[in-house]
Amino acid sequence: SVAPGVAERLAAYAPTVITADSSPLTAAEREVLAKLIAAARVMDELFAAQACPCWNELRAAAAAVPPPAGEAVRSYLEVNVGPWDRRFDREPFLGGWPHPEGANFYPLDLSAAEKERIQKDPQLSGLQTMVRRNAAGQLVAVPYGRFFAEPLGRCAALLREAAALTDNASLRAFLKARAAALLTDDTFESDKLWMDLDSPVEITIGPYETYEDGLFGFKAAFEAFVTVVDPRESARLAQFKHELPWLESVLPLPDADKNPNRGGESPIRVVDVVFTAGDTKAGVQTIAFNLPNDERVREAKGSKKVLMRNMMTAKFEQILIPLGQRLVAPEQVGDLSAESFFLHTLFHEMSHGLGPGRLVLDGRETEVRLELKDAYSTLEEAKADLMGFWDIQQLAGKGYFEEAQLRRQMATFLAGLFRSVRFGIAEAHGQANAIQFNWLVEQGAVTRDAASGRFRAAPDRFPAAVEALLARILTVQARGDYAGAKELIARYAVMPPELADALAKLDGIPVDIRPRFPLAGE
C-alpha cells in the first residue's frame, strides 16, 4: 500500500544543484577527489543497512509500484532511506510496517529485560557495534568491522588508493589511518589526524552521529562529506577559535560543572561540498558539522567545525528568506541576513564543543551522551542553537561585532526556528527548535501580532530568555539528569496552535533541498 500525497511530500524537497569550483585543483587532486567520492558512496550502502531492516527488499517493492505513484515513491524512499517519513513522526508511506525505534541496530523483538541489559552492558551499548542474537537466541555485540567487513573492505581499499595518489602529507596520513580504523573499529588515532588535515580536498568518513538510534542514542551511523576547502574564508574565521576557552569560562553554569580541559586547537573550515553520503543525506541536509564526537579526542585536540557554504547559500536563498517574508514582522524582515545565518551556524557548531562532556556521577566516569540516552540529541541541538546566539552576544561585548549585528541575529534566529521545526517534532533538530520557540513565547521574548499572524523578537527580553534556557539545559547535562531532560522535552517539544497556523502559511516554500552533485557525476 502507498500513502496518499507522496508526490506532494517529495515536492517539499527542492531539487538543487550543489557544486564547487574545482578549477584550482591539480590533475592529481581531481583524481584523489574521484577516489574519495567512490569511497563515500559505500557509506550510503552501510547507512541503509543500519537504518532500515530489509532495505533491498523494500527497494524491490518500491520498484513494483505502478504509475502514477511509482516514481515519487521510489524517490521518496531514497530521500528517507526507508519507508517511513522522517518529517511526519516516521509514519509509513510505503506499506504499513511501524518504524523500529532502534532502526536496524538491534533485534526488532527486544524484551523489556533485554533493553535494560543493553543499557548496562558496555559491549552491547558500544558506539560501533550491531546487536544481534546468537544461535542460542542471546544478545551479542558484533563490531562494525566484522558485521560490515565486505563493504568496509572496499571502502578502505579506495581510501588507500586515494592516499597513494595524493602528494599532501596530512591527507595521505589520515586516509591510511582511517582505512585501517574502519576495519578495526578504533578511530581514535585517525580522528586526531583528521583534526590536523590541511589539504585543498578533504573527506570526513566513518561512523559518527547517533541520531538514528532512537531507542538509546548509543549507535554511530555511517556518513561521509567530500569537500573542497576555501582557505581564505577559513582563515577569516580562525580568530574565533581562540575565544573558546574564554567562552567556556563564562558559561551560565557553576564553575565545578564547566569543562576547561577540552583541547583548544578546534580548527574551522569553510568548504564547498561536492558529495555527501549516508546518514547526512537522509531527509534534511546538513549545512555544517562539528566532529569528532569522541570525548577523548575533544580533550586532546578539541573538535573541528566545518561549514558547507554552498549548502548554506542554497537554503538561505530558497527557504529562509521567503519563509521570513511570510512569518517575521515587517520591521524585522530587513534584518534577515546571510552573514547572520552563517555566523549562527558557525557558533552552533563551536558550541557543540563547549559545556559538559565527560562526567563523574556517584564516583563513576561517564558521558552526557550515555546518561541522557535518547534525549541527548534533542537537548544537545537545543544547547548548540541557544549557545550559538549567546556566544555572539558575549563576543559583541568584546568588540567582535557591532550592536546592529545582535539585532540581525535575533531576526535570523527567529526565522531559523520556523525553518527547522518544519523538519518535524519527532526529529532531534525539529524538537530542539520547538523547545526554543515555546520557551521564548512563554518568556515574552517572541510575540505574535494577532491581526497579521506575524512574529517578532522582543529585543528587551530575547537575550535573557535565551540565557535562561541555555542555563537550564546545561544544568541537566552536567547532572546527567535523564528525567529532567525528558520532562523538558515533554513540556516544550510540542506543536502549539499558533506555531501550526504559522507553518500552514508556508505552502510552496520548500522544507529542504534534494541535492544533485554534478562533480560526482549526478
Side-chain angles (χ1 to χ4, degrees), residues 453-484:
R454 292 182 176 230
F455 296 80
R456 61 174 49 83
D460 58 330
R461 295 193 175 192
F462 199 92
V466 165
E467 182 168 311
L469 182 54
L470 174 61
R472 181 167 174 177
I473 291 174
L474 288 172
T475 300
V476 167
Q477 291 185 326
R479 302 289 178 267
D481 182 4
Y482 179 68

PDB file of all heavy atoms in Angstrom, residues 453-484:
ATOM      1  N   GLY A 453      -0.686  37.769  12.123  1.00  0.00           N
ATOM      2  CA  GLY A 453      -0.160  36.434  12.370  1.00  0.00           C
ATOM      3  C   GLY A 453       1.351  36.355  12.277  1.00  0.00           C
ATOM      4  O   GLY A 453       1.920  35.256  12.311  1.00  0.00           O
ATOM      5  N   ARG A 454       2.019  37.517  12.211  1.00  0.00           N
ATOM      6  CA  ARG A 454       3.487  37.525  12.105  1.00  0.00           C
ATOM      7  C   ARG A 454       4.124  37.620  13.491  1.00  0.00           C
ATOM      8  O   ARG A 454       3.515  38.104  14.454  1.00  0.00           O
ATOM      9  CB  ARG A 454       3.950  38.693  11.241  1.00  0.00           C
ATOM     10  CG  ARG A 454       3.567  38.539   9.772  1.00  0.00           C
ATOM     11  CD  ARG A 454       4.106  39.710   8.972  1.00  0.00           C
ATOM     12  NE  ARG A 454       3.844  39.557   7.560  1.00  0.00           N
ATOM     13  CZ  ARG A 454       4.759  39.684   6.613  1.00  0.00           C
ATOM     14  NH1 ARG A 454       6.013  39.927   6.939  1.00  0.00           N
ATOM     15  NH2 ARG A 454       4.440  39.574   5.344  1.00  0.00           N
ATOM     16  N   PHE A 455       5.385  37.174  13.560  1.00  0.00           N
ATOM     17  CA  PHE A 455       6.111  37.108  14.830  1.00  0.00           C
ATOM     18  C   PHE A 455       7.261  38.107  14.843  1.00  0.00           C
ATOM     19  O   PHE A 455       7.841  38.420  13.798  1.00  0.00           O
ATOM     20  CB  PHE A 455       6.657  35.692  15.038  1.00  0.00           C
ATOM     21  CG  PHE A 455       5.590  34.634  15.174  1.00  0.00           C
ATOM     22  CD1 PHE A 455       4.954  34.106  14.051  1.00  0.00           C
ATOM     23  CD2 PHE A 455       5.204  34.176  16.422  1.00  0.00           C
ATOM     24  CE1 PHE A 455       3.969  33.138  14.172  1.00  0.00           C
ATOM     25  CE2 PHE A 455       4.223  33.203  16.554  1.00  0.00           C
ATOM     26  CZ  PHE A 455       3.603  32.680  15.425  1.00  0.00           C
ATOM     27  N   ARG A 456       7.584  38.573  16.050  1.00  0.00           N
ATOM     28  CA  ARG A 456       8.751  39.457  16.196  1.00  0.00           C
ATOM     29  C   ARG A 456       9.543  39.038  17.432  1.00  0.00           C
ATOM     30  O   ARG A 456       8.987  38.503  18.395  1.00  0.00           O
ATOM     31  CB  ARG A 456       8.334  40.927  16.294  1.00  0.00           C
ATOM     32  CG  ARG A 456       7.458  41.267  17.471  1.00  0.00           C
ATOM     33  CD  ARG A 456       7.217  42.780  17.583  1.00  0.00           C
ATOM     34  NE  ARG A 456       6.816  43.385  16.346  1.00  0.00           N
ATOM     35  CZ  ARG A 456       5.560  43.404  15.870  1.00  0.00           C
ATOM     36  NH1 ARG A 456       4.613  42.791  16.566  1.00  0.00           N
ATOM     37  NH2 ARG A 456       5.277  44.003  14.753  1.00  0.00           N
ATOM     38  N   ALA A 457      10.837  39.258  17.364  1.00  0.00           N
ATOM     39  CA  ALA A 457      11.704  39.045  18.521  1.00  0.00           C
ATOM     40  C   ALA A 457      11.705  40.324  19.352  1.00  0.00           C
ATOM     41  O   ALA A 457      11.890  41.416  18.810  1.00  0.00           O
ATOM     42  CB  ALA A 457      13.115  38.713  18.062  1.00  0.00           C
ATOM     43  N   ALA A 458      11.487  40.192  20.661  1.00  0.00           N
ATOM     44  CA  ALA A 458      11.463  41.344  21.569  1.00  0.00           C
ATOM     45  C   ALA A 458      12.872  41.603  22.082  1.00  0.00           C
ATOM     46  O   ALA A 458      13.365  40.828  22.919  1.00  0.00           O
ATOM     47  CB  ALA A 458      10.504  41.076  22.725  1.00  0.00           C
ATOM     48  N   PRO A 459      13.548  42.657  21.618  1.00  0.00           N
ATOM     49  CA  PRO A 459      14.963  42.864  21.969  1.00  0.00           C
ATOM     50  C   PRO A 459      15.218  42.991  23.461  1.00  0.00           C
ATOM     51  O   PRO A 459      16.298  42.624  23.933  1.00  0.00           O
ATOM     52  CB  PRO A 459      15.316  44.175  21.235  1.00  0.00           C
ATOM     53  CG  PRO A 459      14.306  44.294  20.146  1.00  0.00           C
ATOM     54  CD  PRO A 459      13.049  43.685  20.685  1.00  0.00           C
ATOM     55  N   ASP A 460      14.232  43.502  24.226  1.00  0.00           N
ATOM     56  CA  ASP A 460      14.448  43.698  25.648  1.00  0.00           C
ATOM     57  C   ASP A 460      14.344  42.405  26.455  1.00  0.00           C
ATOM     58  O   ASP A 460      14.776  42.356  27.614  1.00  0.00           O
ATOM     59  CB  ASP A 460      13.448  44.731  26.196  1.00  0.00           C
ATOM     60  CG  ASP A 460      11.994  44.322  25.952  1.00  0.00           C
ATOM     61  OD1 ASP A 460      11.738  43.626  24.940  1.00  0.00           O
ATOM     62  OD2 ASP A 460      11.130  44.702  26.755  1.00  0.00           O
ATOM     63  N   ARG A 461      13.816  41.347  25.854  1.00  0.00           N
ATOM     64  CA  ARG A 461      13.641  40.084  26.587  1.00  0.00           C
ATOM     65  C   ARG A 461      14.389  38.909  25.957  1.00  0.00           C
ATOM     66  O   ARG A 461      14.640  37.913  26.628  1.00  0.00           O
ATOM     67  CB  ARG A 461      12.150  39.728  26.673  1.00  0.00           C
ATOM     68  CG  ARG A 461      11.333  40.708  27.477  1.00  0.00           C
ATOM     69  CD  ARG A 461       9.966  40.146  27.790  1.00  0.00           C
ATOM     70  NE  ARG A 461       9.209  41.026  28.667  1.00  0.00           N
ATOM     71  CZ  ARG A 461       8.100  40.699  29.286  1.00  0.00           C
ATOM     72  NH1 ARG A 461       7.601  39.476  29.134  1.00  0.00           N
ATOM     73  NH2 ARG A 461       7.467  41.549  30.056  1.00  0.00           N
ATOM     74  N   PHE A 462      14.684  39.025  24.688  1.00  0.00           N
ATOM     75  CA  PHE A 462      15.224  37.886  23.946  1.00  0.00           C
ATOM     76  C   PHE A 462      16.542  37.373  24.530  1.00  0.00           C
ATOM     77  O   PHE A 462      16.670  36.175  24.822  1.00  0.00           O
ATOM     78  CB  PHE A 462      15.399  38.275  22.472  1.00  0.00           C
ATOM     79  CG  PHE A 462      15.509  37.118  21.537  1.00  0.00           C
ATOM     80  CD1 PHE A 462      14.391  36.582  20.923  1.00  0.00           C
ATOM     81  CD2 PHE A 462      16.741  36.546  21.253  1.00  0.00           C
ATOM     82  CE1 PHE A 462      14.481  35.509  20.052  1.00  0.00           C
ATOM     83  CE2 PHE A 462      16.856  35.476  20.392  1.00  0.00           C
ATOM     84  CZ  PHE A 462      15.727  34.944  19.786  1.00  0.00           C
ATOM     85  N   PRO A 463      17.570  38.214  24.717  1.00  0.00           N
ATOM     86  CA  PRO A 463      18.860  37.684  25.215  1.00  0.00           C
ATOM     87  C   PRO A 463      18.747  36.986  26.567  1.00  0.00           C
ATOM     88  O   PRO A 463      19.340  35.928  26.773  1.00  0.00           O
ATOM     89  CB  PRO A 463      19.747  38.932  25.282  1.00  0.00           C
ATOM     90  CG  PRO A 463      19.146  39.876  24.287  1.00  0.00           C
ATOM     91  CD  PRO A 463      17.671  39.656  24.385  1.00  0.00           C
ATOM     92  N   ALA A 464      17.974  37.580  27.501  1.00  0.00           N
ATOM     93  CA  ALA A 464      17.851  36.977  28.834  1.00  0.00           C
ATOM     94  C   ALA A 464      17.118  35.640  28.771  1.00  0.00           C
ATOM     95  O   ALA A 464      17.467  34.688  29.479  1.00  0.00           O
ATOM     96  CB  ALA A 464      17.128  37.935  29.776  1.00  0.00           C
ATOM     97  N   ALA A 465      16.087  35.556  27.909  1.00  0.00           N
ATOM     98  CA  ALA A 465      15.340  34.301  27.789  1.00  0.00           C
ATOM     99  C   ALA A 465      16.220  33.207  27.197  1.00  0.00           C
ATOM    100  O   ALA A 465      16.157  32.050  27.614  1.00  0.00           O
ATOM    101  CB  ALA A 465      14.106  34.524  26.922  1.00  0.00           C
ATOM    102  N   VAL A 466      17.045  33.555  26.218  1.00  0.00           N
ATOM    103  CA  VAL A 466      17.983  32.588  25.637  1.00  0.00           C
ATOM    104  C   VAL A 466      18.936  32.070  26.705  1.00  0.00           C
ATOM    105  O   VAL A 466      19.162  30.862  26.840  1.00  0.00           O
ATOM    106  CB  VAL A 466      18.762  33.224  24.467  1.00  0.00           C
ATOM    107  CG1 VAL A 466      19.984  32.374  24.101  1.00  0.00           C
ATOM    108  CG2 VAL A 466      17.862  33.387  23.245  1.00  0.00           C
ATOM    109  N   GLU A 467      19.497  32.971  27.497  1.00  0.00           N
ATOM    110  CA  GLU A 467      20.463  32.560  28.522  1.00  0.00           C
ATOM    111  C   GLU A 467      19.810  31.692  29.588  1.00  0.00           C
ATOM    112  O   GLU A 467      20.416  30.722  30.073  1.00  0.00           O
ATOM    113  CB  GLU A 467      21.110  33.783  29.164  1.00  0.00           C
ATOM    114  CG  GLU A 467      22.150  33.400  30.203  1.00  0.00           C
ATOM    115  CD  GLU A 467      23.017  34.570  30.648  1.00  0.00           C
ATOM    116  OE1 GLU A 467      23.535  35.302  29.781  1.00  0.00           O
ATOM    117  OE2 GLU A 467      23.176  34.741  31.878  1.00  0.00           O
ATOM    118  N   ALA A 468      18.573  31.992  29.956  1.00  0.00           N
ATOM    119  CA  ALA A 468      17.892  31.203  30.993  1.00  0.00           C
ATOM    120  C   ALA A 468      17.667  29.762  30.529  1.00  0.00           C
ATOM    121  O   ALA A 468      17.889  28.813  31.292  1.00  0.00           O
ATOM    122  CB  ALA A 468      16.564  31.863  31.352  1.00  0.00           C
ATOM    123  N   LEU A 469      17.213  29.583  29.286  1.00  0.00           N
ATOM    124  CA  LEU A 469      17.007  28.224  28.786  1.00  0.00           C
ATOM    125  C   LEU A 469      18.331  27.508  28.591  1.00  0.00           C
ATOM    126  O   LEU A 469      18.453  26.312  28.888  1.00  0.00           O
ATOM    127  CB  LEU A 469      16.223  28.250  27.478  1.00  0.00           C
ATOM    128  CG  LEU A 469      15.897  26.886  26.854  1.00  0.00           C
ATOM    129  CD1 LEU A 469      15.184  25.967  27.844  1.00  0.00           C
ATOM    130  CD2 LEU A 469      15.079  27.052  25.581  1.00  0.00           C
ATOM    131  N   LEU A 470      19.336  28.234  28.128  1.00  0.00           N
ATOM    132  CA  LEU A 470      20.669  27.637  27.984  1.00  0.00           C
ATOM    133  C   LEU A 470      21.168  27.136  29.335  1.00  0.00           C
ATOM    134  O   LEU A 470      21.677  26.005  29.437  1.00  0.00           O
ATOM    135  CB  LEU A 470      21.635  28.670  27.403  1.00  0.00           C
ATOM    136  CG  LEU A 470      23.104  28.257  27.323  1.00  0.00           C
ATOM    137  CD1 LEU A 470      23.289  27.030  26.438  1.00  0.00           C
ATOM    138  CD2 LEU A 470      23.954  29.417  26.802  1.00  0.00           C
ATOM    139  N   ALA A 471      21.034  27.934  30.371  1.00  0.00           N
ATOM    140  CA  ALA A 471      21.489  27.529  31.703  1.00  0.00           C
ATOM    141  C   ALA A 471      20.753  26.283  32.183  1.00  0.00           C
ATOM    142  O   ALA A 471      21.350  25.385  32.796  1.00  0.00           O
ATOM    143  CB  ALA A 471      21.286  28.674  32.692  1.00  0.00           C
ATOM    144  N   ARG A 472      19.462  26.217  31.889  1.00  0.00           N
ATOM    145  CA  ARG A 472      18.675  25.047  32.327  1.00  0.00           C
ATOM    146  C   ARG A 472      19.154  23.777  31.624  1.00  0.00           C
ATOM    147  O   ARG A 472      19.322  22.726  32.253  1.00  0.00           O
ATOM    148  CB  ARG A 472      17.194  25.296  32.033  1.00  0.00           C
ATOM    149  CG  ARG A 472      16.284  24.166  32.475  1.00  0.00           C
ATOM    150  CD  ARG A 472      14.841  24.599  32.457  1.00  0.00           C
ATOM    151  NE  ARG A 472      13.939  23.484  32.736  1.00  0.00           N
ATOM    152  CZ  ARG A 472      12.626  23.604  32.844  1.00  0.00           C
ATOM    153  NH1 ARG A 472      12.058  24.792  32.713  1.00  0.00           N
ATOM    154  NH2 ARG A 472      11.872  22.549  33.098  1.00  0.00           N
ATOM    155  N   ILE A 473      19.389  23.867  30.324  1.00  0.00           N
ATOM    156  CA  ILE A 473      19.841  22.686  29.580  1.00  0.00           C
ATOM    157  C   ILE A 473      21.233  22.271  30.017  1.00  0.00           C
ATOM    158  O   ILE A 473      21.521  21.080  30.200  1.00  0.00           O
ATOM    159  CB  ILE A 473      19.788  22.965  28.067  1.00  0.00           C
ATOM    160  CG1 ILE A 473      18.336  23.073  27.611  1.00  0.00           C
ATOM    161  CG2 ILE A 473      20.516  21.869  27.282  1.00  0.00           C
ATOM    162  CD1 ILE A 473      18.152  23.495  26.165  1.00  0.00           C
ATOM    163  N   LEU A 474      22.131  23.231  30.216  1.00  0.00           N
ATOM    164  CA  LEU A 474      23.484  22.912  30.669  1.00  0.00           C
ATOM    165  C   LEU A 474      23.459  22.212  32.025  1.00  0.00           C
ATOM    166  O   LEU A 474      24.246  21.294  32.280  1.00  0.00           O
ATOM    167  CB  LEU A 474      24.325  24.182  30.740  1.00  0.00           C
ATOM    168  CG  LEU A 474      24.752  24.806  29.408  1.00  0.00           C
ATOM    169  CD1 LEU A 474      25.413  26.157  29.650  1.00  0.00           C
ATOM    170  CD2 LEU A 474      25.698  23.886  28.646  1.00  0.00           C
ATOM    171  N   THR A 475      22.563  22.639  32.885  1.00  0.00           N
ATOM    172  CA  THR A 475      22.453  22.012  34.211  1.00  0.00           C
ATOM    173  C   THR A 475      21.966  20.572  34.093  1.00  0.00           C
ATOM    174  O   THR A 475      22.485  19.670  34.765  1.00  0.00           O
ATOM    175  CB  THR A 475      21.501  22.827  35.100  1.00  0.00           C
ATOM    176  OG1 THR A 475      22.014  24.160  35.242  1.00  0.00           O
ATOM    177  CG2 THR A 475      21.354  22.187  36.474  1.00  0.00           C
ATOM    178  N   VAL A 476      20.984  20.331  33.242  1.00  0.00           N
ATOM    179  CA  VAL A 476      20.514  18.961  33.004  1.00  0.00           C
ATOM    180  C   VAL A 476      21.660  18.095  32.497  1.00  0.00           C
ATOM    181  O   VAL A 476      21.854  16.951  32.949  1.00  0.00           O
ATOM    182  CB  VAL A 476      19.343  18.962  31.997  1.00  0.00           C
ATOM    183  CG1 VAL A 476      19.054  17.551  31.497  1.00  0.00           C
ATOM    184  CG2 VAL A 476      18.093  19.557  32.640  1.00  0.00           C
ATOM    185  N   GLN A 477      22.455  18.628  31.575  1.00  0.00           N
ATOM    186  CA  GLN A 477      23.582  17.866  31.041  1.00  0.00           C
ATOM    187  C   GLN A 477      24.636  17.603  32.119  1.00  0.00           C
ATOM    188  O   GLN A 477      25.147  16.487  32.229  1.00  0.00           O
ATOM    189  CB  GLN A 477      24.202  18.615  29.867  1.00  0.00           C
ATOM    190  CG  GLN A 477      23.326  18.667  28.627  1.00  0.00           C
ATOM    191  CD  GLN A 477      24.031  19.315  27.453  1.00  0.00           C
ATOM    192  OE1 GLN A 477      24.831  20.236  27.610  1.00  0.00           O
ATOM    193  NE2 GLN A 477      23.740  18.845  26.255  1.00  0.00           N
ATOM    194  N   ALA A 478      24.965  18.621  32.882  1.00  0.00           N
ATOM    195  CA  ALA A 478      26.005  18.475  33.902  1.00  0.00           C
ATOM    196  C   ALA A 478      25.615  17.468  34.981  1.00  0.00           C
ATOM    197  O   ALA A 478      26.483  16.808  35.564  1.00  0.00           O
ATOM    198  CB  ALA A 478      26.304  19.827  34.546  1.00  0.00           C
ATOM    199  N   ARG A 479      24.322  17.337  35.232  1.00  0.00           N
ATOM    200  CA  ARG A 479      23.849  16.390  36.249  1.00  0.00           C
ATOM    201  C   ARG A 479      23.572  15.011  35.661  1.00  0.00           C
ATOM    202  O   ARG A 479      23.235  14.079  36.391  1.00  0.00           O
ATOM    203  CB  ARG A 479      22.565  16.920  36.909  1.00  0.00           C
ATOM    204  CG  ARG A 479      22.720  18.282  37.572  1.00  0.00           C
ATOM    205  CD  ARG A 479      23.561  18.208  38.840  1.00  0.00           C
ATOM    206  NE  ARG A 479      23.736  19.519  39.427  1.00  0.00           N
ATOM    207  CZ  ARG A 479      24.746  20.337  39.190  1.00  0.00           C
ATOM    208  NH1 ARG A 479      25.709  19.950  38.351  1.00  0.00           N
ATOM    209  NH2 ARG A 479      24.846  21.508  39.776  1.00  0.00           N
ATOM    210  N   GLY A 480      23.648  14.871  34.325  1.00  0.00           N
ATOM    211  CA  GLY A 480      23.251  13.607  33.707  1.00  0.00           C
ATOM    212  C   GLY A 480      21.815  13.275  34.038  1.00  0.00           C
ATOM    213  O   GLY A 480      21.456  12.121  34.258  1.00  0.00           O
ATOM    214  N   ASP A 481      20.957  14.317  34.056  1.00  0.00           N
ATOM    215  CA  ASP A 481      19.594  14.207  34.570  1.00  0.00           C
ATOM    216  C   ASP A 481      18.644  13.763  33.454  1.00  0.00           C
ATOM    217  O   ASP A 481      18.001  14.582  32.784  1.00  0.00           O
ATOM    218  CB  ASP A 481      19.174  15.572  35.136  1.00  0.00           C
ATOM    219  CG  ASP A 481      17.789  15.564  35.746  1.00  0.00           C
ATOM    220  OD1 ASP A 481      17.170  14.488  35.805  1.00  0.00           O
ATOM    221  OD2 ASP A 481      17.336  16.651  36.168  1.00  0.00           O
ATOM    222  N   TYR A 482      18.517  12.445  33.279  1.00  0.00           N
ATOM    223  CA  TYR A 482      17.669  11.909  32.221  1.00  0.00           C
ATOM    224  C   TYR A 482      16.204  12.288  32.448  1.00  0.00           C
ATOM    225  O   TYR A 482      15.512  12.703  31.509  1.00  0.00           O
ATOM    226  CB  TYR A 482      17.817  10.389  32.166  1.00  0.00           C
ATOM    227  CG  TYR A 482      16.969   9.718  31.108  1.00  0.00           C
ATOM    228  CD1 TYR A 482      17.224   9.901  29.758  1.00  0.00           C
ATOM    229  CD2 TYR A 482      15.910   8.883  31.468  1.00  0.00           C
ATOM    230  CE1 TYR A 482      16.445   9.285  28.785  1.00  0.00           C
ATOM    231  CE2 TYR A 482      15.124   8.262  30.513  1.00  0.00           C
ATOM    232  CZ  TYR A 482      15.394   8.460  29.171  1.00  0.00           C
ATOM    233  OH  TYR A 482      14.620   7.848  28.214  1.00  0.00           O
ATOM    234  N   ALA A 483      15.734  12.175  33.668  1.00  0.00           N
ATOM    235  CA  ALA A 483      14.335  12.514  33.949  1.00  0.00           C
ATOM    236  C   ALA A 483      14.081  13.988  33.660  1.00  0.00           C
ATOM    237  O   ALA A 483      13.035  14.351  33.101  1.00  0.00           O
ATOM    238  CB  ALA A 483      13.997  12.184  35.404  1.00  0.00           C
ATOM    239  N   GLY A 484      15.019  14.854  34.029  1.00  0.00           N
ATOM    240  CA  GLY A 484      14.865  16.279  33.756  1.00  0.00           C
ATOM    241  C   GLY A 484      14.862  16.585  32.270  1.00  0.00           C
ATOM    242  O   GLY A 484      14.126  17.458  31.802  1.00  0.00           O
TER     243      GLY A 484
END
